[in-house]
Amino acid sequence: MTKTIDVCLSPELMHLYNVHDRTVVVVDIFRATSCMTTALAHGIHSIKPFAKVEDCMAMKSAEYYTAGERDGKKVEGCDLGNSPFEYMEDHLKGKKIAFTTTNGTQAIARSEGAREIIIGSFLNLSAVANYLLAGANNVLVVCAGWKGKVNQEDTLYAGALVELLKEHIEPDCDAPVMARHLYNQAKTDMMDFLKDASHVRRLAKLNIYKDISFCLTPDQYDVVPVLKEGFLIKA
């Protein structure tokens, strides 16, 4: 039987999806899942995602670094923010990180009950596609969006994944088809396509241009973060 792929355009729509038989790919391009992918690619031991800031901060100890973002800015008192470049530092190799963000870690929490949860970003696009092809499960891409609303960059990623898998995994409904069309429109210059996107404008006000460009660069890493017993580790 052919496997299927579906796309949930916002975590607010998760009640419409049955995830128990699916591999869920959580995606928050700007910037949580890009950070998670980068962190594990650069030797960080594991990441424990939290929906709430206070739960994340409670993990602060010699064993854990804390990473927090709200509204695009680093949470006061956290060791790290939400820029992928922060996770390339040598002193973080082998360390554990407690992580909370405005959207990405919420989407992970909403995906509870899935047969499997993995992390997707443009940085590991082909690695995720190959992982899904090798697995037996149907697929659901969960776009983190922005505070419940749909965003373009996560939808583009979903479309890129659907495009890569189209010969082997069938779309479940219109959402994956729409996402693929959007990606094919944008793929030659995603930076330009997204220049008026709401979160790009939000990050631009914080002068985070370098992050935007990096997070849209496909296939920097051959790493698939997978959630095991509450921790993200390399698959």
Side-chain angles (χ1 to χ4, degrees), residues 22-26 33 36-37 40-41 44-49 108 114-120 124 127-128 131-132 137 223-235:
R22 291 185 187 264
T23 293
V24 165
V25 184
V26 175
T33 61
M36 292 164 179
T37 302
L40 291 182
I44 282 167
H45 177 271
S46 59
I47 299 165
K48 189 163 180 61
I108 293 171
R115 181 166 289 177
E116 185 176 43
I117 297 172
I118 67 171
I119 296 301
N124 67 342
V128 168
Y131 183 90
L132 295 171
N137 301 335
V223 163
V224 179
V226 60
L227 193 70
K228 298 274 189 196
E229 295 175 0
F231 291 90
L232 288 166
I233 58 171
K234 281 188 195 176

Side-chain angles (χ1 to χ4, degrees), residues 139-193:
V139 179
L140 177 65
V141 184
V142 176
C143 300
W146 178 260
K147 296 185 179 180
K149 294 179 180 176
V150 174
N151 69 21
Q152 290 187 66
E153 63 273 11
D154 296 348
T155 307
L156 282 185
Y157 173 83
L161 198 56
V162 174
E163 175 68 25
L164 273 180
L165 298 171
K166 66 181 181 185
E167 303 298 327
H168 308 280
I169 303 181
E170 288 181 0
D172 238 354
C173 66
D174 286 352
V177 177
M178 287 160 52
R180 182 162 65 90
H181 285 316
L182 193 70
Y183 169 70
N184 283 328
Q185 242 186 303
K187 65 184 177 186
T188 53
D189 192 345
M190 285 192 288
M191 277 288 282
D192 184 65
F193 189 88

Side-chain angles (χ1 to χ4, degrees), residues 20-106:
H20 77 277
D21 69 337
R22 291 185 187 264
T23 293
V24 165
V25 184
V26 175
V27 53
D28 182 358
I29 294 301
F30 298 145
R31 294 164 288 163
T33 61
S34 298
C35 286
M36 292 164 179
T37 302
T38 301
L40 291 182
H42 283 267
I44 282 167
H45 177 271
S46 59
I47 299 165
K48 189 163 180 61
F50 290 95
K52 293 178 180 174
V53 170
E54 55 269 30
D55 293 341
C56 178
M57 295 297 276
M59 300 297 288
K60 193 163 188 156
S61 67
E63 215 177 313
Y64 277 88
Y65 280 74
T66 53
E69 169 272 336
R70 285 297 183 273
D71 297 328
K73 298 170 192 166
K74 179 180 170 183
V75 172
E76 198 176 329
C78 280
D79 301 307
L80 299 157
N82 199 29
S83 168
F85 296 104
E86 294 180 73
Y87 297 86
M88 298 177 182
E89 300 291 336
D90 277 349
H91 73 274
L92 293 174
K93 284 184 178 171
K95 302 296 184 187
K96 297 175 184 175
I97 292 177
F99 202 109
T100 183
T101 68
T102 308
N103 305 295
T105 58
Q106 320 299 320

